[in-house]
Amino acid sequence: AFVRTPKYEIGHLAAPPWSEETISSGLKNIKTATEAVGAPPHLENIATLYLPLGSTMTESEWTTEIIRQSGVGLLLDVENVY
């Protein structure tokens, strides 16, 4: 999730654009975290109030692809299910 850029701090978790590009960078981050900790993380859904700019797929398509390609589990936060 995004919280800040070099120029801005939004103070709240925000979803990245749901796209092939962010799937690729997410997979790299999962690999890095797995190597550092010795176990894969789980992907948790966050509350999303809007379609992130630059999205080319739905949230469910994006989440499914990250899980499928990485093999991580889903930590389902039922409070964030719409």
Side-chain angles (χ1 to χ4, degrees), residues 4-72:
R4 69 182 71 78
T5 69
K7 294 177 84 175
Y8 301 102
E9 167 74 42
I10 61 174
H12 179 62
L13 291 176
W18 300 318
S19 66
E20 291 294 331
E21 182 180 346
T22 59
I23 287 173
S24 179
S25 61
L27 292 171
K28 289 177 189 173
N29 289 341
I30 289 168
K31 183 179 179 193
T32 299
T34 300
E35 290 171 354
V37 179
H42 280 68
L43 182 66
E44 180 181 0
N45 60 311
I46 63 170
T48 305
L49 304 175
Y50 59 89
L51 178 67
L53 294 174
S55 293
T56 57
M57 54 183 47
T58 66
E59 179 181 17
S60 60
E61 291 169 331
W62 184 86
T63 301
T64 299
E65 239 355 80
I66 291 256
I67 291 170
R68 186 185 70 74
Q69 291 187 41
S70 68
V72 300

